Amino acid sequence: MDRLLVGVSREKITPEIGCQLYGYRPDVFSERVHDDLTATAFYFCQGNVECVMVSLCVCLLQTELAGEIARMIEEKTGIPAENCILSATHTHTGPNVSGTFGWGDIDDEYCNKIFIPGILKAVEDAKYKREPSLVKVSVGESRVGINRRELNIHNQVCLGQNPWGVYNPQMTVISFMNTNKVVSGHIIHYGAHGTVAGLATDISRDWSGDMIDCVERNFGGIAAFFNGPEGDVGPRISNGQTTADIRYVSEVGGVAATDAAGICRKRDSYRDARLSVVSRDLLIPLDKRIALETARAQYEKYKKETVNIDGTKAKYYSDVIASYESGYVDAEARPVRQTIIRFGDVAFVSFPYELFSEIGMRIAQASNVPYTLSLSNSNGSEGYFVTEDQICKGGYEIDMFKTSFIQPYKDNADWSVVTQTVENLKRTEE
């Protein structure tokens, strides 16, 4: 078996002051830079297989834009577009590269001048820096995250802290060392929203930035954060909420840094690893559209709304009405592209959703790969993907899940995603 080749590189992708900060509403604009945003690329090659994972310090990456950038990567470097994972860290204090209705339009000038060139340069340099490498996997726990679907006294789910709710405390650090025993990089995987800074007007990586800086300072190499299933997980802030302001970033970041450093210090062995890539569509079953009369009645209720979830509802009901008028025919399933990059005992699994944490844990439990790490917000932005048991409770994420597309997903769609993903993971052995 050929030795695994790994290359790591980073480029700054900090926008100019005055850009829209994406994540809450379209009228929040940056006034200063708290810390620089980055695009960090990890290039992998073995034999005739090559792929890349890129950590992007933005909130969400529009699906169409992700596909376009992957094709640009292929044109520039020869890495197949389907072998690229472009993963947003989900900081809410970064520029708009998603363009979701109700949250503002994509910042095209930023994309063309800073974002896309930075990604391409990072990937190109990572491929150039490739060298024979060994892989170390270390696992620990962190209380940085907490389930954020708080049930209030009125039996309503709101965004807060739910101490008895599901979240995954596992933090995984994958480190790479060349044959001269020099560490080139670290991938840190954990699932939690990047919302500590709240509605701050500072450009920032949020809590994960302090964690990254600590790992690099103490263990060398280039480190990057890849966010796991975080749809129902927020940062555990001392104010009892999952949002605060820029002053709290170092509080949560310090906890994450301590946890990640402790995991890095574990005396796990560096090993050779076999590389494989699988890219296939998940076929997620769809239900029928709501009735035209229902869509019209609901549209009247929300038609004046243009911001956040109420704006999303207005667009959803409008789109359903338009689908009846255009002769749209209900589909049986929705194809969603999934890319799995596996090296040795580690598999990274892309999802263009904000996955609920339990889905990632169910996949990992059923997987044939010892360390199966699901990635939220990767290769696109298709809204929340929730567990069946939470739908009856309602709340923000459930409303988004139900109104993201013309046809809603069928019951037990989470089970369909889990089982199909497990089948795709089996293909990494082929």
Side-chain angles (χ1 to χ4, degrees):
M1 180 177 69
D2 294 333
R3 177 66 60 83
L4 176 69
L5 304 180
V6 180
V8 189
S9 186
R10 169 184 292 152
E11 289 292 315
K12 289 182 181 180
I13 54 170
T14 308
E16 295 180 2
I17 293 174
C19 72
Q20 182 209 339
L21 295 177
Y22 179 86
Y24 296 103
R25 59 186 195 227
D27 61 346
V28 182
F29 299 92
S30 63
E31 297 179 352
R32 64 192 68 83
V33 177
H34 180 270
D35 52 284
D36 282 312
L37 309 184
T38 57
T40 306
F42 289 79
Y43 169 85
F44 305 102
C45 180
Q46 190 173 64
N48 60 358
V49 178
E50 61 177 342
C51 55
V52 69
M53 295 174 56
V54 188
S55 172
L56 301 166
C57 292
V58 295
C59 185
L60 298 170
L61 178 61
Q62 183 195 57
T63 304
E64 291 77 11
L65 180 58
E68 181 182 345
I69 295 172
R71 288 187 290 273
M72 290 180 181
I73 290 173
E74 181 171 7
E75 291 174 3
K76 192 173 186 66
T77 68
I79 303 168
E82 63 270 21
N83 289 6
C84 299
I85 293 181
L86 305 175
S87 187
T89 65
H90 206 58
T91 173
H92 279 46
T93 42
N96 189 342
V97 293
S98 180
T100 312
F101 185 85
W103 280 263
D105 297 326
I106 286 179
D107 188 337
D108 289 327
E109 183 176 5
Y110 166 74
C111 282
N112 294 328
K113 289 185 177 181
I114 299 175
F115 186 62
I116 296 175
I119 295 172
L120 296 178
K121 182 68 163 54
V123 174
E124 186 177 36
D125 287 354
K127 180 171 181 176
Y128 177 77
K129 293 176 181 178
R130 66 191 185 276
E131 56 186 349
S133 299
L134 301 172
V135 181
K136 183 181 83 164
V137 185
S138 300
V139 179
E141 291 194 354
S142 175
R143 285 172 54 84
V144 162
I146 186 170
N147 187 287
R148 70 176 197 165
R149 287 174 51 77
E150 181 177 325
L151 189 64
N152 64 24
I153 194 64
H154 305 293
N155 202 35
Q156 297 171 325
V157 172
C158 59
L159 298 180
Q161 294 188 12
N162 178 4
W164 56 80
V166 176
Y167 86 101
N168 188 355
Q170 180 173 303
M171 179 180 283
T172 306
V173 180
I174 299 95
S175 301
F176 305 96
M177 175 188 287
N178 66 21
T179 52
N180 293 321
K181 297 188 177 181
V182 175
V183 174
S184 60
H186 313 268
I187 292 175
I188 305 172
H189 177 271
Y190 188 79
H193 268 74
T195 53
V196 174
L199 285 169
T201 53
D202 303 68
I203 295 169
S204 175
R205 295 167 294 172
D206 209 85
W207 64 266
S208 64
D210 283 48
M211 175 180 68
I212 292 304
D213 293 345
C214 172
V215 169
E216 292 181 348
R217 189 167 55 247
N218 288 283
F219 302 97
I222 297 174
F225 173 54
F226 284 82
N227 212 334
E230 46 68 61
D232 55 350
V233 182
R236 191 188 301 259
I237 311 174
S238 61
N239 67 355
Q241 302 298 315
T242 54
T243 61
D245 60 55
I246 199 70
R247 297 171 298 173
Y248 287 77
V249 166
S250 59
E251 172 190 288
V252 179
V255 174
T258 300
D259 294 339
I263 295 168
C264 285
R265 289 193 184 95
K266 291 189 173 184
R267 296 183 179 275
D268 298 295
S269 300
Y270 282 89
R271 303 176 183 277
D272 283 311
R274 173 182 172 272
L275 178 67
S276 62
V277 183
V278 171
S279 184
R280 295 174 62 84
D281 282 345
L282 300 174
L283 297 176
I284 307 178
L286 296 173
D287 212 339
K288 294 181 179 180
R289 289 167 290 175
I290 60 173
L292 176 58
E293 295 76 14
T294 303
R296 284 174 173 164
Q298 290 297 312
Y299 179 68
E300 287 300 313
K301 180 179 178 181
Y302 291 100
K303 65 182 180 181
K304 295 182 180 179
E305 302 293 340
T306 60
V307 176
N308 208 293
I309 181 61
D310 287 341
T312 295
K313 289 179 180 179
K315 186 176 187 305
Y316 165 71
Y317 294 121
S318 175
D319 288 347
V320 172
I321 293 168
S323 75
Y324 279 101
E325 295 171 347
S326 66
Y328 173 92
V329 177
D330 283 346
E332 292 293 322
R334 186 164 189 264
V336 174
R337 176 60 55 162
Q338 179 176 83
T339 296
I340 300 175
I341 293 177
R342 177 179 179 180
F343 40 88
D345 289 339
V346 181
F348 284 98
V349 186
S350 75
F351 291 94
Y353 296 103
E354 296 191 54
L355 283 183
F356 271 27
S357 54
E358 182 185 301
I359 296 175
M361 289 188 281
R362 287 163 62 188
I363 291 169
Q365 183 182 47
S367 173
N368 62 313
V369 184
Y371 304 99
T372 298
L373 307 177
S374 295
L375 299 173
S376 287
N377 313 311
S378 294
N379 290 346
S381 173
E382 302 292 337
Y384 286 87
F385 208 96
V386 308
T387 51
E388 185 70 22
D389 68 309
Q390 291 298 302
I391 293 176
C392 64
K393 295 182 179 180
Y396 172 77
E397 302 93 345
I398 307 305
D399 285 348
M400 289 289 291
F401 179 71
K402 288 182 173 181
T403 59
S404 293
F405 310 105
I406 292 172
Q407 288 180 249
Y409 294 117
K410 279 191 174 181
D411 291 346
N412 296 308
D414 57 337
W415 175 80
S416 178
V417 165
V418 170
T419 55
Q420 290 184 65
T421 298
V422 170
E423 288 303 309
N424 286 342
L425 283 159
K426 291 178 181 177
R427 294 176 182 271
T428 63
E429 299 281 4
E430 298 175 0

